[in-house]
Amino acid sequence: MTIIRTGAAEMHKIGDLIIYSAHGVCVIDDICEKTVLGETKSYYVLHPLEDTKLSISIPVDNKSIVMFDIMHKDEAEEIINSFKNPGADWIDNNNQRFQEYSEVINTGNRKEISKIVNTLMKKKHEIELNGKKMGEQDRRLLASVQNILFNELAISLETTMDVIVEKTSSFMNINHV
C-alpha cells in the first residue's frame, strides 16, 4: 500500500491510501470505466481498511466527493501534541453543538477536527467521572471522528491506534478505559 501525500487534485493510483468521508482510511482497489445511465466514466473502486467486504465506487471527476490524502508525519506529530492544549469551545445547546462540530468535521481540516475530538473526549471523561453517560449524539460523533482521526494518525506515525489513544489520553490527563 502507498500512503498518498500529494495534492488532492492529482489522480490517485491503485493501492493508494486516502481518507474518504465517514468511511475513514480506504484503499483504492481499482480505477475502471463504468457505464451508468448511458454515461461512461472513470471510477475509483475502494474499500475501508476496517471493512474489506465493502466496495465503494466513486466517479474520478466528481468534485463534490470528500476525499483527502493521508497527512504527513510532521502534521500528525503536531496534531498529537495539540491534545496538550484546550480543544474547541464547548457549545451548551446540543443541536447547535452537533451542527457546528459537523461543519468543522466536513472541512477535513485535521487540526480543527482534533480540537473537537479533544473537547468531546474531555467532556466524556468529565461526565463519566460524575457517574453519568454522554449523550448519544455526542457519543456517536466522538466515536466516528476519533476512530477516523486516530486511525489516520496511527498510519502516518507508523504505530497503532492503541498507542495514539494512550498518548492523547495522557496528554489530556484522562485515564482511558
Side-chain angles (χ1 to χ4, degrees), residues 150-151 153-155 157-166:
F150 284 12
N151 198 3
L153 289 168
I155 289 168
L157 296 172
E158 300 174 357
T159 189
T160 65
M161 286 256 301
D162 289 341
V163 168
I164 300 299
V165 169
E166 215 174 281

Side-chain angles (χ1 to χ4, degrees), residues 51-65:
D51 187 356
T52 57
K53 294 179 181 172
L54 177 61
S55 182
I56 304 165
S57 294
I58 307 165
V60 170
D61 64 354
N62 189 335
K63 304 294 185 225
S64 66
I65 297 298

Side-chain angles (χ1 to χ4, degrees), residues 12-137:
H12 297 293
K13 299 181 298 298
I14 294 171
D16 287 350
L17 290 176
I18 53 97
I19 303 297
Y20 173 62
S21 177
H23 295 286
V25 180
C26 294
V27 179
I28 297 177
D29 296 319
D30 195 11
I31 301 169
C32 61
E33 300 285 316
K34 291 187 180 191
T35 304
V36 178
L37 299 172
E39 186 177 357
T40 302
K41 291 182 175 185
S42 292
Y43 282 79
Y44 291 119
V45 179
L46 47 105
H47 75 271
L49 279 184
E50 296 182 353
D51 187 356
T52 57
K53 294 179 181 172
L54 177 61
S55 182
I56 304 165
S57 294
I58 307 165
V60 170
D61 64 354
N62 189 335
K63 304 294 185 225
S64 66
I65 297 298
V66 181
M67 210 163 104
F68 299 102
D69 300 329
I70 298 288
M71 71 179 86
H72 290 271
K73 185 175 184 176
D74 57 342
E75 182 183 0
E77 288 170 352
E78 185 180 335
I79 287 172
I80 286 282
N81 286 319
S82 77
F83 281 85
K84 296 174 184 175
N85 304 323
D89 290 333
W90 181 255
I91 301 166
D92 288 325
N93 180 291
N94 292 340
N95 291 332
Q96 183 183 358
R97 181 175 57 252
F98 183 78
Q99 176 72 31
E100 289 190 27
Y101 285 6
S102 295
E103 286 174 12
V104 170
I105 291 162
N106 289 336
T107 68
N109 181 329
R110 272 61 146 236
K111 290 177 185 174
E112 295 302 316
I113 291 169
S114 68
K115 290 178 184 176
I116 290 170
V117 171
N118 180 330
T119 296
L120 289 171
M121 285 176 70
K122 286 177 183 171
K123 187 55 91 171
K124 180 176 188 264
H125 181 69
E126 177 187 316
I127 290 168
E128 289 174 351
L129 282 177
N130 292 318
K132 297 180 181 178
K133 290 186 178 183
M134 182 178 234
E136 186 66 16
Q137 192 173 38

